[in-house]
Amino acid sequence: MMTKSYKRLEDGRDKLDGITDLPINVIKQIQEHMTIEDVARNSVLSSKWRHIWASNPKLTISADFCIKGKQSSTTDIINRMLHLSRNGLVELTLQNPGNQNAPYKLPSYVYDMELEQLSLSSCIFRPPCSFGGFHKLKSLKLDGVAFELDVATSFLSIPNLLDLMFVQCSGVHHLNTIKWITFKDCRKVKLFAVIPQEEVSQNRQNEAMNLVKLLSSLYEVRALILDGCSLKFLASGDVANLEFYGFDFNDEDQICSLLCILRSSPNLKLLNLLLSRIKNGSRKIDVNQLKGQGFRIDELKNLRALGIHRFHGSRVELLFVRLVLTSVPILEKMIINVT
C-alpha cells in the first residue's frame, strides 16, 4: 500500500513535470517575473529550466540578492550566474549596493559578451588588454563604478551607443571617466548624463576643455543630465531636454551658464532643476547686479515643461521663475517642489 509520504512525493513530481512540459516561451516569461534565487532553485530541479534560464538574453541581479548572505558566497554565486548566462546574453543589470558590499569586480569573460544593454552599480570595471569595445551596446549606465584602465584600453569603440550615464564613478578625473570611449565613432548618443563625485567636481579647467570637446562629437544628443559644476562649462548646445542636479542659485557662474544654454537652445522642451541644499554661510547673489549683467532669456517657443525641486523661495529663484514664464508662449506643465 502506498504510504502518504510517498504519495505526496509522487504528486509533487507530477506537478513539477506539468510545469516542465510547458512551452519554452511560456517558461521564459515565467522566469522573467521570478527572483533570480527562485529561478536558480528551479534550475536545480529541472535540466530543461536550467537550459532555458542559461539561454535567457536578459539577466538582472538585484540589490536585494546582493545583500543576502556573506560577501564571498554572493560573489561566487554571481560569477556562476554570469558564466552560465554568457551565451547569448544581451542585457545585463547588476545592482550591487555599495553602502553594504565591497565593489564587485567583473570577470574577464563579461567583456567578451555581445551586450546591448549594460547597467552596473558599485562594480570594478577593468577590461583586459584585448578588449576592443562593446560594438552592439546601445545603453550604458554606470553608478558608483571604479575604473581601472591601462594604456591599452584608453580608447574603445561603442558605435551604436544611444544612452550614456555615469553617476559618481571613480578612477579617473570627472569627464575623463569617459575618455575610454572613442566618441568620433559614437555619434548616435541621444541621452548623456554625468553626475560626478563631489570631490572631483572642482577640477574646473579640465572639465571645461573636455566637456566642450566631448559635446562637439555628440551630434544627436537630445537630453542632457549634468550636475551644477559641470553646467558652468557647457556654453552652448541645442537639446530638447535638460536636467541639472545640485544646481545652486547662490552661484553666479552657474546662473549665467544656465542662461547662456537657454538662449542657445531654441528647441528645448523640458527643463528640470534639482537645487542643491542651502549651506550655512552661503553667499547670497545680488539680484540688482544680475539684472545689470543681462539677466534675460530669449523667447523659448518650444518649452512645454518646467520642474524645480528643493525650491527655497529666494529672490533669485523667484526672479528666474518669472523670467521663464515671461519668455515662454505656451507652458503646459510646471512643477515646483518646496523644501
Side-chain angles (χ1 to χ4, degrees):
M1 184 175 180
M2 184 180 295
T3 63
K4 291 183 178 180
S5 60
Y6 182 79
K7 188 176 185 306
R8 285 195 299 267
L9 179 61
E10 287 295 312
D11 291 341
R13 287 177 177 173
D14 290 340
K15 292 179 180 178
L16 180 61
D17 290 341
I19 298 176
T20 303
D21 290 337
L22 290 171
I24 293 178
N25 63 320
V26 175
I27 295 177
K28 284 185 176 181
Q29 291 179 14
I30 293 174
Q31 289 181 343
E32 289 179 0
H33 291 85
M34 296 172 64
T35 65
I36 199 164
E37 300 98 316
D38 291 337
V39 173
R41 292 190 188 101
N42 281 279
S43 298
V44 172
L45 296 175
S46 169
S47 59
K48 182 178 180 180
W49 274 61
R50 181 167 59 253
H51 170 73
I52 293 173
W53 176 72
S55 62
N56 195 320
K58 302 178 182 180
L59 177 60
T60 298
I61 301 175
S62 67
D64 290 338
F65 172 79
C66 291
I67 62 178
K68 294 178 180 178
K70 296 181 180 180
Q71 175 73 26
S72 57
S73 61
T74 300
T75 300
D76 184 57
I77 293 173
I78 294 175
N79 287 340
R80 292 182 182 180
M81 289 177 177
L82 290 175
H83 184 77
L84 286 172
S85 303
R86 60 178 174 171
N87 294 326
L89 189 68
V90 296
E91 296 183 17
L92 173 59
T93 300
L94 203 166
Q95 301 171 339
N96 182 33
N99 58 341
Q100 298 191 42
N101 290 349
Y104 171 76
K105 183 179 180 180
L106 293 173
S108 59
Y109 51 76
V110 169
Y111 302 98
D112 294 328
M113 298 178 180
E114 295 185 347
L115 296 172
E116 295 180 8
Q117 295 185 27
L118 177 60
S119 179
L120 303 175
S121 298
S122 187
C123 293
I124 297 176
F125 194 97
R126 187 176 185 177
C129 294
S130 59
F131 181 52
F134 290 116
H135 299 289
K136 294 185 177 181
L137 198 66
K138 297 178 180 178
S139 176
L140 178 62
K141 299 178 181 179
L142 306 179
D143 186 350
V145 171
F147 288 83
E148 295 182 359
L149 307 175
D150 55 28
V151 176
T153 53
S154 294
F155 299 97
L156 305 175
S157 178
I158 311 183
N160 292 300
L161 197 62
L162 299 177
D163 297 340
L164 175 61
M165 180 176 293
F166 288 88
V167 179
Q168 295 184 342
C169 295
S170 63
V172 282
H173 295 295
H174 192 24
L175 289 173
N176 283 335
T177 301
I178 48 182
K179 71 178 182 179
W180 57 280
I181 298 176
T182 306
F183 278 104
K184 65 180 181 180
D185 296 327
C186 192
R187 301 182 179 183
K188 298 180 181 180
V189 172
K190 298 184 182 299
L191 169 66
F192 174 64
V194 174
I195 303 174
Q197 291 181 318
E198 185 175 355
E199 60 267 24
V200 299
S201 296
Q202 309 305 319
N203 190 8
R204 300 182 176 182
Q205 199 168 27
N206 286 338
E207 288 177 349
M209 175 185 64
N210 288 316
L211 188 56
V212 172
K213 183 179 180 181
L214 170 66
L215 292 175
S216 65
S217 302
L218 302 180
Y219 305 108
E220 298 296 327
V221 167
R222 291 296 176 266
L224 278 176
I225 303 176
L226 302 173
D227 75 326
C229 291
S230 301
L231 168 64
K232 298 180 183 180
F233 309 110
L234 179 60
S236 63
D238 185 8
V239 295
N241 302 323
L242 282 173
E243 297 188 35
F244 297 112
Y245 289 72
F247 185 84
D248 189 358
F249 271 106
N250 286 324
D251 188 324
E252 188 175 322
D253 290 338
Q254 289 191 33
I255 296 174
C256 293
S257 298
L258 177 58
L259 295 178
C260 181
I261 293 173
L262 295 180
R263 295 186 196 113
S264 58
S265 301
N267 293 316
L268 187 64
K269 295 180 180 179
L270 178 147
L271 175 62
N272 196 35
L273 302 177
L274 175 62
L275 306 188
S276 61
R277 300 188 185 278
I278 295 179
K279 300 178 181 178
N280 293 331
S282 296
R283 180 177 62 87
K284 293 186 178 181
I285 298 295
D286 186 340
V287 175
N288 293 325
Q289 183 177 355
L290 276 179
K291 291 180 178 179
Q293 293 180 356
F295 194 81
R296 63 174 183 79
I297 307 176
D298 296 331
E299 186 173 343
L300 296 172
K301 296 182 180 180
N302 294 300
L303 190 65
R304 294 294 182 266
L306 170 66
I308 303 180
H309 309 276
R310 292 182 189 162
F311 190 79
H312 307 121
S314 68
R315 290 188 63 192
V316 178
E317 293 171 3
L318 292 171
L319 179 61
F320 176 76
V321 172
R322 179 182 178 184
L323 184 67
V324 172
L325 292 177
T326 56
S327 304
V328 179
I330 301 176
L331 190 65
E332 299 174 353
K333 183 177 182 181
M334 182 170 70
I335 299 176
I336 295 182
N337 291 330
V338 181
T339 55

